[in-house]
Amino acid sequence: MATIKEIARLAGVSRGTVDRVLNNRPGVKPETAQAVRNIMEELNYRPNLAGKILAAGKQRLRLGFLIPDGPEFIFYQDILRSARKKAAELEDLGIEVLFYLISSLAPQALAPVLEQIQADELSGLALNPSGNPQLLALARSFADRHAPVVFYNMDEPGEPRLCYVGCDYRKAGHVAAGLCAMAIGGVGTVAMITIFTATVPSFAERADGFISELRQNYPGIHLLNGGAPTVFFHNDYSAVHQLFRDHPELSAVYIVNPGDFSVCREAKRAAGDRPLRIITNDLVPAQREMLREGVITATLGQQPELQGSLPLQLLYEALVYGTAPSSSCLYTQLNIYLPQNV
């Protein structure tokens, strides 16, 4: 989407000049105004309706984007970058986006952030509810005053929200099972590994999809412990090393929620010289390196860039144009990454 900033750059004028041309205000030479209009026409720039709606209501929309941030939330960095880029586009339309970064879901860490969100009187909000009671209560408070909320990355279908933008985790589990089966030729023993995430819905849905796919379509694969995962903790991989000591027959592992992704190297190290296929999720810089090195066999991406930009776009369209999303769940693509395509 073309922006006022881009039009101003191409026309060699300030953004203020472009704004005056858009709103037919005086102070611009006729030839300059025509040049700006020509560029807008070439770029198919059509912001007038949004601007008129905002001006008529004498309002400046303020959106919020709540997102985890810290060493344990590496995956969210791509979401944040994309959301900030989208925010810059919306700024040209007179819409402000405020970002709220949280380093923990602990009640004492969340409380001041949630207080600030309420004080900022946002028109709409994008957040990952994470199954957290405080965040769900926040979403309900927006619904109570008819302000739209978009969930991204994790959904809570029973909660009031405009829609969900993110992964279909059960389907991701199906695909991961298929990748495991292909990697070991349809025969062998497979285990699941995850960081301690007892309350995270994404694990349960991925695991359910993984288990059901193997049971229904791959009789030659033995799922260790009936699918009960080996659980590790941040910076404590002793359970992973014990898993490989107890089960030298392991052919592959599905690392469902990998934390900061260091567990991938630990699993490879624990396996020693035996062949091991590792399937996991997401694609951060560390994983790109591990794919190239042969540590990871394959990983499933879930379009974090879209999870950053689309929620803000949907909030904008709902508030300015009154339009609803095409579906209550807008699922991202499940992109398969191998050493050959990173």
Side-chain angles (χ1 to χ4, degrees):
M1 181 177 71
T3 65
I4 289 177
K5 183 178 180 181
E6 183 180 2
I7 293 167
R9 179 181 61 80
L10 292 172
V13 299
S14 69
R15 282 189 282 182
T17 298
V18 176
D19 183 71
R20 284 193 291 274
V21 173
L22 280 169
N23 293 285
N24 296 312
R25 290 199 296 267
V28 182
K29 294 179 180 179
E31 59 271 24
T32 302
Q34 188 58 52
V36 170
R37 292 190 187 96
N38 290 342
I39 291 171
M40 287 191 290
E41 187 66 29
E42 291 172 8
L43 298 179
N44 195 30
Y45 183 72
R46 296 289 185 272
N48 292 2
L49 178 57
K52 288 177 180 177
I53 292 173
L54 292 173
K58 296 183 179 179
Q59 59 177 320
R60 179 174 175 81
L61 294 182
R62 176 181 286 176
L63 307 179
F65 201 102
L66 179 66
I67 186 166
D69 182 57
E72 294 184 40
F73 303 113
I74 297 174
F75 165 75
Y76 290 95
Q77 292 177 1
D78 286 339
I79 294 179
L80 180 58
R81 276 191 291 270
S82 179
R84 289 194 186 280
K85 182 178 178 181
K86 185 65 181 179
E89 295 178 5
L90 293 175
E91 184 181 6
D92 283 325
L93 299 173
I95 298 172
E96 182 181 11
V97 180
L98 301 181
F99 288 89
Y100 305 90
L101 278 55
I102 52 176
S103 59
S104 169
L105 294 177
Q108 63 271 22
L110 279 177
V113 178
L114 302 189
E115 288 178 9
Q116 185 61 55
I117 288 175
Q118 297 290 17
D120 287 335
E121 298 182 345
L122 303 173
S123 306
L125 178 68
L127 81 158
N128 176 342
S130 302
N132 181 279
Q134 288 172 282
L135 296 180
L136 293 174
L138 174 67
R140 293 184 201 117
S141 73
F142 272 69
D144 289 342
R145 58 185 180 88
H146 306 288
V149 172
V150 173
F151 290 163
Y152 68 87
N153 193 249
M154 292 186 193
D155 195 14
E156 291 285 346
E159 295 294 330
R161 43 105 166 123
L162 184 66
C163 76
Y164 164 66
V165 177
C167 183
D168 181 338
Y169 290 106
R170 182 178 174 83
K171 185 176 180 181
H174 285 300
V175 176
L179 288 171
C180 270
M182 290 176 64
I184 62 176
V187 178
T189 300
V190 173
M192 285 196 294
I193 297 173
T194 187
I195 197 169
F196 178 69
T197 51
T199 61
V200 177
S202 63
F203 168 74
E205 292 176 21
R206 279 168 168 159
D208 185 57
F210 186 79
I211 293 168
S212 64
E213 180 71 16
L214 289 182
R215 286 177 175 170
Q216 291 175 19
N217 297 310
Y218 299 99
I221 294 179
H222 170 63
L223 186 58
L224 195 66
N225 298 325
T230 294
V231 179
F232 68 95
F233 294 83
H234 185 59
N235 291 329
D236 179 2
Y237 305 106
S238 55
V240 176
H241 286 269
Q242 189 64 47
L243 171 70
F244 285 94
R245 285 194 294 270
D246 293 345
H247 297 281
E249 75 277 16
L250 273 177
S251 309
V253 293
Y254 175 35
I255 303 179
V256 186
N257 287 27
D260 69 356
F261 305 95
S262 300
V263 66
C264 299
R265 290 193 185 279
E266 288 295 329
K268 195 73 170 179
R269 187 176 295 116
D273 294 332
R274 80 187 83 171
L276 177 69
R277 304 303 184 200
I278 296 177
I279 309 299
T280 188
N281 299 294
D282 306 324
L283 185 65
V284 301
Q287 286 173 292
R288 291 179 182 272
E289 182 178 346
M290 285 187 275
L291 278 167
R292 296 187 186 107
E293 293 174 358
V295 174
I296 297 174
T297 305
T299 189
L300 279 171
Q302 52 171 304
Q303 291 188 294
E305 298 82 5
L306 191 66
Q307 294 187 43
S309 62
L310 187 54
L312 291 175
Q313 179 65 28
L314 293 172
L315 290 172
Y316 158 69
E317 291 175 357
L319 290 163
V320 175
Y321 299 105
T323 57
S326 58
S327 172
S328 64
C329 292
L330 299 177
Y331 291 123
T332 52
Q333 292 181 3
L334 291 169
N335 298 319
I336 299 171
Y337 295 100
L338 307 169
Q340 293 81 7
N341 68 341
V342 295

